[in-house]
Every structure is written in C-alpha cells, then in structure tokens.
Amino acid sequence: MRTSTLICSLLLGGSTLPIVTFGEDLEVTEGEPESAPEHEIEVEEEEVAAVEIPVLTAPSTDSFLFAETFEGADPFGSGAWKKSSNSKYTGQPVSVTVENDAPYAGDHAVLLSAANQHYGFGSKFSAPLDTTDKPFVVQYEVKLLDGMKCGGAYLKLLRDEPELDVATMDNESPYVIMFGPDSCGDTNKVHFILQHQNPVSLEWEEKHATTPPSPKKDKHSHVYTLAINTDNSFEIFVDLESKSKGSLLEDMKPAVNPPAEIDDPTDSKPSDWVDTKKIKDPEASKPDDWDEDAPKKIPDASAEKPKDWLDSEPDFVPDPDAAVPDDWDEEEDGEWEAPMVSNPKCASVSGCGEWKRPEIENPEYKGKWSAPMIDNPEYKGPWKAKQIPNPNFFEDKAPHNMAKIGAVAVEIWTTSGDIRMDNFIIGDSLSDAQAFAKATWKVKADLEAASEKNKMKDDNKSKRSEMRAEGGLQNKVMAYIGDVSDLAVENPIPAVVTLIVIIFSLILLCTGGGSNSKKASPPRSAQKAEVDEKTPTPSEKKKRTPRAD
C-alpha cells in the first residue's frame, strides 16, 4: 500500500488501521503484529518558561465618597470595620486575607470562611452620606469560592441615626439600600430594595425593584453595580454589563407613592348583597332515564381470548436456578422459598393465567346528575367599598433623594463558605466606578479566565501524552491533531497556512495527482501473473510453431 493510500484510509475513518512497514515499497498486513515498527510523529516540545504571577494593587480611590480595598492595615484591628457583638453572629469567622495563589497575588479582601453561618459586620462613615440632588453609585466585588448554594452575598447601606452602631447591628437595623446577590429556594435575584419613608405617617416601607437580574453563582470574581440618577432612573450592572433598569416612580413594588384614594375602612357589604353570578336552575330535574349507577367502564363484549393464551400457566414461577443459601436456618428463618421470576412460557405467547376481557368506555355512562347553571336574577355584581381620600397620601417626585447613609454593612446568612468580598465603593459618578472596576475586577476576571484556559490546555496535553504513551498510529495522529489545534488557537495565521499546505498535499495524495510521482512497483503476485501471461504454455507453443516440412 502506498503512503497516500494509508493516509487517505486513515482520514476516511477506516475502523481498522493497517500495520505499515515503512520503506520504498510499503508492505501492509492486517491486524497488529507484535514486532510491527512504529512511525513516530515528532512534536516539538515547548519550553516551559517561568511565569511571573502579577501582583494586584488598587488604583486611587480619591474620587469616591467611600472606598474600602482592604489594603494596608487590618481594618478590623484598627476599628475601621467592626463585627457585631449580637449573639446571632457569635463566632463569625471574618478576616482580611491576601490571595497569593495563581493567577494573581496581592489581592486583599474580606473573607467569610465558614458555611451555615450568620454574618454581621460593617464600617461606619466618618460623616453621613447625603445623596440630595446627586447621582448615586454603589459597587463591590464578590467571589464565591464555594459557589452559591443557599444564602446571600449582599450588602446594606445603613440609615444614619443617632443610635447607629455597627458593633451592635442585627438584621432589624434600619437601612436605606439593600443590594446584591441572593439565592435560596424560590429566591434567585440581585436585590435592589429601597427603604422609603412616608412623610405623613412617618412609616418606613421596603420598595423592591420589580425586574431584578439573576446573580452569578460560579466560583469566579464578579462585580455588582447600582446606579441611581437624579431623574429617578436606576440601572443594575453585573460585570459591567447592564442587566436591569427602571424608574423609582414606576418600577418598584409597592409603589413609592401611595394611591390618592383607599377603601373606606368603615364601609361593609350589605347583608342582602348578592355577588353570586350563576346559580343552579331550581326548575330543572333529573331525567327518568338517567342512571347514576352505571359504571364508567365495562368489559369489551367483542373481545376474544387469544388462541395461544395459557390459562393453566401462572405469570410468575419459582426461580429454578435459585438455591438455598448456605447460612439459611429453617428454625430461625422459616421454610425457604425460591424467589419468583417471570414464567418463561409466557414470554412467547399473548399471556398466562385467567383471561379477562379488556375494559372499554361505557357508552351509557352519564355520571352524577346535577342541575344546569343559569344566570342569577338577583346578581348585583362584585361589591366594592366606597373610596375615600387616603389620609397618608403624599407624592414624592424625587425619591432619588434618599435618607442619609451612615454605614456600609454585610448582614447575611449563608450555607456556603469562603465568600470573598472586596473593593466596596460609593460615589456619585458611574464612569468613575466603572473605570475603577476595569482596573481591578476586570484584571482579575481576565487572569482567572486565562488561568482556566491554560489549565484546560494542560489537561488536554496530558491526555495527548497518555495517548502517545499507549502507542498506535491512530493515537499518535489524534495527539498530533490536538497539538495543531492548540497552535491554531495561539497562532492562527501560521496554523492556517500549515493546514492549507496539508490539505493540498492530501488532495494530491488521495487523488493521485502530481506529474513527478514515482510509479509504484506492482506486487510480486501481480508481476508473476504478468510474466505468466506473456510466457506461452507448451501447448500454445505447439500451436504457434509451424511444423517443419
């Protein structure tokens, strides 16, 4: 077999590869002889250079109203951040750690290490933040090293009050905004909740965004951003991509502004009010031929028992191959009985045992009789209470002017451990926040993606090394194809040129193209047949040789 034939048969997916002895003339045998020489496909090994792990540092945060990158002195040690002493959070393992493992180093973040734990900690601002007539932006990063099973990773911006103290905070501590991912049971959203005060009743109400986006629950770094504008519009970003937007006046539930009128609490439905629209016809009666006792299904009278039905054979029989266990004690375990198995005689026939007619729908069945429904002549329609002016009505045309914010806090419960939170910023410029995220989160995300890609590449290389170690032409060709595929990803132009050359060469090989191709010597058996065909037999010689006179 010529080399071209071998390659073409390989490419065409032949299930059995021939064993080839490489030389000027290729001899092919079926199967795989023990001493078959192997054709090595040499792949140039890449030199592994030492990889320098980048060290991350946060850029300047001077443009923000508040920022915490957790770099520098331990904020819990300095008192800038405090853990709540409330018994609900007893033993909460919260600390600032530095991530120095690949793909990057020097990343400071607060770590919530334990699963199935309530957490409560925060940082009080040196002065309350006033959002009046200014845009508002809050942003932070989350990395769920254990994924998100059930729990939250959101933050709360606590309301500024005289008694505000993060060291004693709990889940009832008043807040202005609750924002961030939460997933458990039916909840799977990025919360945006605004606590808004009714200036008339002085009550605080939670207003929830009606279309919150879904959270990221993988183990990579993610950044969450909330922007509120002076036109009352808001927008939620996940990894710098806009995922939800709306208006504080139109897209919160319940609405920020209450209705102008409400039901009169003193009004009640009159006792003679009829709101039943339909009633049973009092004049209707059951027909004489209505049989309520008729069954819904009856035996099919037209059915016939199949001729091969075995009435005397049961569906199940004792297993003839079963044997009494060696440790069976009849005195303690009782008389041993073989387990039942399907009767093999029933497998090839229509059925065994007592034959019963199949059931069909009863054409005479009518079911329980009930009087038909008719319009209620006394129906007055649905009753509604009288409307009165809402004593707590107000109209806030600028809900973006939120209450003053006194602290940032994390107050969550989670079944997942190892939650890293980082780069908390609060400001009045969305562009500044996004630029900061590009300089911090985006760098991490890109390095994590590249690391994962390299790990996958290394895993594939390891598998190809195993294929080469196993030997065999097909394994080696597949390993080589994998190497070329990696090259195509890293260096597409040289790979494409190489691929074109290979394809062109294979076309020539598979189609017999090329004027300089050396004609292959025919097999010895063919040569012998050709010689035999040209050499006359003795009888032919007699016929061809004229008789001498």
Side-chain angles (χ1 to χ4, degrees):
M1 180 182 287
R2 293 184 54 132
T3 308
S4 62
T5 308
L6 171 64
I7 296 174
C8 292
S9 65
L10 176 61
L11 292 173
L12 292 174
S15 58
T16 304
L17 291 176
I19 302 303
V20 183
T21 303
F22 288 86
E24 184 173 347
D25 294 327
L26 300 181
E27 296 184 1
V28 180
T29 60
E30 297 298 327
E32 188 169 348
E34 295 180 3
S35 60
E38 296 183 348
H39 179 59
E40 296 294 333
I41 299 177
E42 297 184 2
V43 178
E44 189 174 325
E45 295 293 333
E46 297 180 1
E47 292 185 6
V48 180
V51 178
E52 183 177 350
I53 299 175
V55 178
L56 304 182
T57 56
S60 172
T61 59
D62 292 344
S63 64
F64 301 114
L65 303 175
F66 170 82
E68 180 59 83
T69 62
F70 298 103
E71 295 180 352
D74 179 10
F76 290 98
S78 67
W81 284 71
K82 296 179 180 179
K83 301 177 187 179
S84 174
S85 59
N86 188 289
S87 59
K88 184 177 183 178
Y89 314 107
T90 299
Q92 56 175 318
V94 179
S95 61
V96 174
T97 62
V98 184
E99 196 167 34
N100 287 320
D101 297 332
Y104 48 76
D107 182 41
H108 295 69
V110 62
L111 177 68
L112 290 61
S113 58
N116 304 308
Q117 175 74 44
H118 287 275
Y119 289 92
F121 59 93
S123 176
K124 186 174 181 179
F125 306 148
S126 57
L129 304 183
D130 188 352
T131 66
T132 303
D133 295 330
K134 290 184 292 186
F136 176 82
V137 180
V138 58
Q139 177 176 280
Y140 72 110
E141 295 176 25
V142 176
K143 186 175 183 180
L144 307 167
L145 299 177
D146 193 29
M148 179 175 279
K149 300 169 185 174
C150 180
Y154 47 81
L155 55 78
K156 292 180 178 180
L157 302 181
L158 303 184
R159 193 161 68 233
D160 182 56
E161 292 186 335
E163 62 272 19
L164 173 61
D165 185 0
V166 293
T168 59
M169 61 168 284
D170 60 17
N171 60 308
E172 298 296 330
S173 296
Y175 64 85
V176 179
I177 285 177
M178 179 172 134
F179 174 65
D182 188 16
S183 181
C184 193
D186 294 334
T187 299
N188 186 49
K189 65 179 72 173
V190 177
H191 284 295
F192 168 34
I193 305 174
L194 170 67
Q195 282 197 349
H196 184 268
Q197 187 180 35
N198 183 316
V200 179
S201 67
L202 301 181
E203 293 183 358
W204 291 87
E205 287 186 328
E206 289 186 351
K207 313 294 182 178
H208 296 247
T210 56
T211 58
S214 299
K216 299 286 187 178
K217 297 192 283 188
D218 56 52
K219 300 180 181 181
H220 301 301
S221 295
H222 297 287
V223 62
Y224 294 89
T225 311
L226 169 65
I228 300 175
N229 303 307
T230 54
D231 62 356
N232 296 314
S233 65
F234 67 85
E235 194 165 6
I236 299 173
F237 298 82
V238 179
D239 294 347
L240 298 177
E241 293 184 7
S242 177
K243 296 296 184 181
S244 178
K245 59 177 63 176
S247 168
L248 296 177
L249 293 173
E250 299 173 359
D251 300 298
M252 306 297 283
K253 187 177 181 180
V256 169
N257 293 316
E261 291 186 329
I262 61 172
D263 293 345
D264 184 353
T266 64
D267 192 17
S268 61
K269 184 172 68 173
S271 59
D272 61 348
W273 188 277
V274 178
D275 53 10
T276 303
K277 191 173 185 178
K278 295 277 187 178
I279 60 171
K280 292 182 178 180
D281 185 354
E283 298 180 0
S285 60
K286 183 174 71 172
D288 294 337
D289 61 348
W290 192 287
D291 185 1
E292 293 185 340
D293 298 326
K296 189 174 183 180
K297 291 193 174 186
I298 58 173
D300 184 0
S302 64
E304 295 183 359
K305 182 174 70 172
K307 294 180 179 180
D308 62 347
W309 193 277
L310 303 178
D311 298 84
S312 60
E313 289 291 338
D315 288 324
F316 295 93
V317 295
D319 186 354
D321 298 327
V324 181
D326 296 336
D327 59 349
W328 190 273
D329 188 336
E330 288 196 356
E331 291 185 1
E332 293 185 4
D333 304 324
E335 183 180 356
W336 181 83
E337 294 181 358
M340 304 297 283
V341 296
S342 298
N343 190 341
K345 296 180 181 180
C346 302
S348 59
V349 297
S350 300
C352 293
E354 181 184 359
W355 180 79
K356 294 181 179 180
R357 296 179 184 277
E359 290 192 333
I360 59 173
E361 298 290 335
N362 183 0
E364 302 297 327
Y365 174 76
K366 295 182 179 180
K368 189 76 174 175
W369 181 86
S370 61
M373 303 297 287
I374 61 172
D375 290 336
N376 187 352
E378 297 182 2
Y379 174 68
K380 295 183 179 180
W383 180 84
K384 293 182 179 179
K386 291 186 298 184
Q387 297 294 292
I388 62 172
N390 184 354
N392 294 321
F393 174 73
F394 70 94
E395 188 174 13
D396 182 356
K397 295 183 178 181
H400 65 273
N401 290 331
M402 301 174 288
K404 291 183 179 181
I405 302 170
V408 59
V410 174
E411 197 286 313
I412 62 172
W413 175 84
T414 179
T415 62
S416 303
D418 293 332
I419 299 174
R420 288 177 64 84
M421 306 177 82
D422 194 10
N423 290 330
F424 294 81
I425 61 169
I426 299 174
D428 52 21
S429 170
L430 177 60
S431 60
D432 286 354
Q434 291 179 329
F436 183 83
K438 289 177 182 177
T440 52
W441 165 80
K442 188 68 168 59
V443 174
K444 296 182 200 176
D446 289 347
L447 289 170
E448 289 169 1
S451 176
E452 186 170 299
K453 181 179 177 181
N454 290 335
K455 182 180 182 303
M456 186 179 299
K457 180 181 175 182
D458 292 341
D459 291 344
N460 290 335
K461 281 186 176 181
S462 177
K463 291 178 182 177
R464 293 199 294 270
S465 296
E466 293 175 2
M467 293 173 69
R468 291 190 180 93
E470 289 178 7
L473 181 59
Q474 190 168 10
N475 274 348
K476 292 181 178 180
V477 170
M478 294 305 295
Y480 181 73
I481 291 174
D483 292 335
V484 173
S485 176
D486 283 353
L487 176 64
V489 174
E490 297 174 0
N491 302 286
I493 294 178
V496 169
V497 173
T498 302
L499 183 62
I500 291 173
V501 172
I502 291 173
I503 292 174
F504 183 72
S505 302
L506 290 177
I507 291 173
L508 291 177
L509 286 170
C510 295
T511 59
S515 59
N516 296 327
S517 299
K518 181 180 178 181
K519 184 176 181 180
S521 300
R524 295 175 184 174
S525 58
Q527 293 176 2
K528 185 176 184 301
E530 186 178 351
V531 171
D532 291 345
E533 183 178 350
K534 293 180 179 179
T535 305
T537 62
S539 60
E540 289 175 333
K541 290 180 179 180
K542 290 179 181 182
K543 292 179 181 179
R544 294 178 184 177
T545 305
R547 180 178 294 177
D549 292 333

